[in-house]
Amino acid sequence: MGMFAEIITIGDELLTGNTVDSNSAFIAQKLTEKGYWVRRITTVGDDVEEIKTVVREVLSREPEVLVIAGGLGPTHDDVTMLAVARALNLELELREDILKRIEEFYLELYKKGFVDDPKINEARKKMAYIPRGVEILNNTVGAAPGAFLIYKNTKIFVLPGMPREMKAMFENEVSPKLGKGKFIQRKLLAEITDESKLAPLLVEALNRFNIKIHSSPKGFGKYIGIILFGESEDEIERARRFIEERGIKFEEV
Amino acid sequence: MGMFAEIITIGDELLTGNTVDSNSAFIAQKLTEKGYWVRRITTVGDDVEEIKTVVREVLSREPEVLVIAGGLGPTHDDVTMLAVARALNLELELREDILKRIEEFYLELYKKGFVDDPKINEARKKMAYIPRGVEILNNTVGAAPGAFLIYKNTKIFVLPGMPREMKAMFENEVSPKLGKGKFIQRKLLAEITDESKLAPLLVEALNRFNIKIHSSPKGFGKYIGIILFGESEDEIERARRFIEERGIKFEEV
């Protein structure tokens, strides 16, 4: 049901548990709202071979969309653009227009006293090496640009890992390329003290209607959280009534 | 460097972005502390075929440890035990001892007024079906038990998805089975206003010493976060001195 998408998040800090991966949740939510069913999220470290391998694995499953986030910065462990280029057999090329933008960016930071040196160095220059032939995604918050390309039938977006940079780039550059599809989520609270009694009813609803359902226990309190997913508001409403008519009282969240 | 581990987290709520996957960060941190290098984290939905597929993919990479979290509860979308059994060609068997424990658990909840019916029903009974021959991991917080088994050279742990249940089970049941290995993390703050100038130094340190390094910009402020990972306190200390002698001032975090 719906178009299918995958997410790859990149960073050793995720694999050591030093950072909670909130980026994938943000991206997943946005993709879901746009009508995509996220089938898998994969997190790997800042390692060219690992990233290359997982990108190829994801592409072999032919998702409509692949969003990759993390590893675009100036440090030694930011290797995502190189790895994506290797995965797709593309060459990295120094983009003079990007280099100029990065120079301007650091000059601004220097004027504001945020960096002690405005000059371009190898580390900063690295961010201007982009796979040949991709479309640049502007970074309105940081220095490193993102990339967009289409491989076979998969739209691939490469985004930075710093949340405020990634979010801005997603809203400004990615969303407009995802089309108008909509996947509706209806969040409800079921007034019942034992979720297990709901199970058979939910299974029946799943079989009857073109929807997906997620239920989550709220401890063992009076309510159970239910989320109905579907492409049609009517279908969701029919499923909701079907369950209610069988004795489950819902409240909108 | 170090033994290698993978994590699988399971739940549609993670793929829709309704829940941020804090479980994988907790598990990754614990595994790292125990001396494991987490190479990959994979998140899939509550789908038997998807889970079965990803479990087999992970096992084909032969990690020393695989931790699976989520999908052990009573609801229609809790299918992890079934999927793990399928992946390993094991049969599910009804464990009378587990069933008895689940009965007692719900009777307790009923006495406390948390559920309106103490009786076992199909949904609750489902939690007592466990792959044949596995070792049970006790759930001291919730109803659903976890499972431990060894496949070839991989220790597989199957844990619940509710964080408080997963964390208790990890501490009580998983940690003791992970051995005494230790992977040391030293968190430092580098006093420097431009992380990109640090990059060549860090690369040199990586080449000279048996360590891993992660650096993360703290905005564009005065400090940059550095984490040195290694198996030997001395090796980390040597690397730290090497970098400091080249003009980087560190503060312990």
Side-chain angles (χ1 to χ4, degrees):
Chain A
M1 194 177 75
M3 300 165 289
F4 117 73
E6 294 206 29
I7 298 167
I8 298 173
T9 52
I10 295 164
D12 289 347
E13 71 278 18
L14 304 171
L15 297 181
T16 57
N18 281 292
T19 302
V20 173
D21 183 10
S22 59
N23 283 353
S24 62
F26 175 89
I27 295 164
Q29 191 156 36
K30 293 295 175 181
L31 289 172
T32 303
E33 287 167 6
K34 280 286 191 174
Y36 293 87
W37 186 257
V38 178
R39 227 174 91 190
R40 196 188 284 209
I41 299 167
T42 311
T43 304
V44 290
D46 302 291
D47 181 283
V48 175
E49 280 309 305
E50 281 288 296
I51 298 166
K52 179 182 137 188
T53 301
V54 72
V55 167
R56 287 185 173 175
E57 286 172 12
V58 171
L59 290 175
S60 73
R61 292 187 288 266
E62 300 182 343
E64 275 88 0
V65 165
L66 166 59
V67 178
I68 300 168
L72 302 188
T75 63
H76 74 284
D77 50 10
D78 292 308
V79 296
T80 298
M81 278 296 179
L82 173 61
V84 169
R86 293 251 177 99
L88 301 170
N89 301 311
L90 298 172
E91 287 196 354
L92 284 182
E93 64 179 352
L94 179 62
R95 287 277 303 254
E96 294 297 341
D97 55 329
I98 305 296
L99 188 60
K100 195 159 166 306
R101 209 175 294 158
I102 292 168
E103 273 172 331
E104 291 161 2
F105 180 82
Y106 279 98
L107 189 58
E108 270 313 301
L109 291 179
Y110 178 72
K111 286 177 184 163
K112 294 177 182 155
F114 290 155
V115 299
D116 57 11
D117 182 352
K119 286 194 303 298
I120 279 291
N121 52 40
E122 278 315 305
R124 291 169 178 178
K125 190 175 179 182
K126 179 161 72 74
M127 296 185 282
Y129 285 90
I130 309 291
R132 192 179 301 278
V134 307
E135 180 179 335
I136 295 297
L137 302 178
N138 292 317
N139 187 336
T140 56
V141 182
F148 168 65
L149 66 157
I150 296 175
Y151 176 83
K152 290 179 179 170
N153 296 318
T154 303
K155 292 178 179 174
I156 303 173
F157 300 91
V158 187
L159 309 179
M162 279 178 91
R164 67 183 196 287
E165 297 182 24
M166 181 279 294
K167 288 176 180 177
M169 193 177 289
F170 196 100
E171 299 292 6
N172 303 331
E173 302 276 57
V174 179
S175 281
K177 292 183 162 63
L178 292 179
K180 297 224 175 307
K182 200 122 190 59
F183 207 38
I184 301 140
Q185 290 187 46
R186 181 89 69 85
K187 298 187 188 183
L188 303 163
L189 278 176
E191 212 183 307
I192 174 173
T193 54
D194 170 19
E195 140 176 86
S196 61
K197 293 176 70 177
L198 247 178
L201 259 178
L202 297 182
V203 172
E204 209 179 328
L206 279 171
N207 295 334
R208 280 172 185 254
F209 303 97
N210 182 26
I211 57 164
K212 279 173 170 278
I213 302 176
H214 175 68
S215 64
S216 54
K218 305 261 163 287
F220 292 96
K222 200 169 175 306
Y223 292 99
I224 286 155
I226 300 278
I227 307 173
L228 304 179
F229 305 94
E231 288 163 344
S232 139
E233 193 65 63
D234 297 352
E235 191 75 353
I236 288 176
E237 189 46 40
R238 275 191 290 275
R240 173 214 170 101
R241 273 202 307 275
F242 173 83
I243 298 167
E244 277 186 325
E245 284 158 4
R246 279 147 189 80
I248 304 296
K249 195 149 162 300
F250 280 131
E251 291 182 15
E252 296 276 349
V253 180
Chain B
M1 193 175 77
M3 301 164 289
F4 118 74
E6 294 205 29
I7 298 167
I8 299 173
T9 52
I10 294 163
D12 289 347
E13 71 278 19
L14 303 171
L15 297 181
T16 56
N18 281 292
T19 302
V20 173
D21 183 11
S22 60
N23 282 354
S24 62
F26 174 89
I27 295 164
Q29 189 155 37
K30 293 294 174 183
L31 289 172
T32 302
E33 287 168 6
K34 280 285 190 173
Y36 292 87
W37 186 257
V38 177
R39 228 175 92 191
R40 196 187 286 210
I41 299 167
T42 310
T43 304
V44 291
D46 302 291
D47 180 286
V48 174
E49 279 308 306
E50 282 287 296
I51 298 166
K52 178 182 137 187
T53 301
V54 73
V55 166
R56 287 183 173 175
E57 286 173 13
V58 171
L59 291 174
S60 72
R61 293 187 288 267
E62 301 181 344
E64 275 86 0
V65 166
L66 166 59
V67 179
I68 301 167
L72 301 189
T75 62
H76 74 283
D77 51 10
D78 293 308
V79 296
T80 297
M81 279 296 179
L82 173 61
V84 168
R86 293 251 178 98
L88 302 169
N89 301 313
L90 298 172
E91 286 196 355
L92 283 183
E93 64 180 352
L94 178 62
R95 290 276 303 254
E96 293 298 341
D97 55 331
I98 305 296
L99 188 59
K100 196 160 165 304
R101 207 175 296 159
I102 292 168
E103 272 171 334
E104 289 160 2
F105 179 82
Y106 279 99
L107 189 58
E108 269 314 300
L109 291 179
Y110 177 73
K111 287 177 185 163
K112 293 174 182 157
F114 290 154
V115 300
D116 56 11
D117 181 355
K119 286 194 305 298
I120 280 292
N121 52 41
E122 278 315 305
R124 291 170 178 179
K125 190 174 179 182
K126 178 162 72 74
M127 297 186 282
Y129 284 90
I130 308 290
R132 191 180 300 278
V134 307
E135 180 179 336
I136 293 298
L137 303 178
N138 293 317
N139 188 336
T140 55
V141 181
F148 168 65
L149 67 158
I150 296 175
Y151 175 84
K152 290 179 179 170
N153 297 318
T154 302
K155 291 178 179 173
I156 304 173
F157 300 91
V158 187
L159 309 179
M162 279 178 93
R164 69 184 196 285
E165 296 183 25
M166 181 278 294
K167 288 176 180 175
M169 193 179 288
F170 196 101
E171 299 292 4
N172 303 332
E173 301 276 59
V174 179
S175 282
K177 293 181 161 65
L178 292 179
K180 298 225 173 303
K182 200 122 191 62
F183 207 36
I184 300 141
Q185 290 187 48
R186 181 90 68 88
K187 298 186 188 184
L188 304 163
L189 278 175
E191 213 183 309
I192 176 172
T193 54
D194 170 17
E195 135 176 272
S196 63
K197 293 176 68 177
L198 206 72
L201 258 178
L202 297 182
V203 173
E204 210 179 327
L206 279 171
N207 296 334
R208 279 175 186 251
F209 304 97
N210 181 26
I211 57 165
K212 278 173 170 281
I213 302 176
H214 176 70
S215 64
S216 54
K218 305 261 163 288
F220 291 96
K222 200 169 175 305
Y223 292 99
I224 286 154
I226 301 276
I227 306 174
L228 304 178
F229 305 94
E231 288 162 344
S232 140
E233 193 64 63
D234 297 353
E235 190 75 354
I236 288 176
E237 189 47 40
R238 276 191 289 275
R240 174 212 169 104
R241 273 203 307 273
F242 172 84
I243 298 167
E244 277 186 325
E245 282 158 6
R246 278 147 190 80
I248 305 297
K249 194 151 162 297
F250 280 131
E251 292 182 15
E252 297 276 350
V253 181

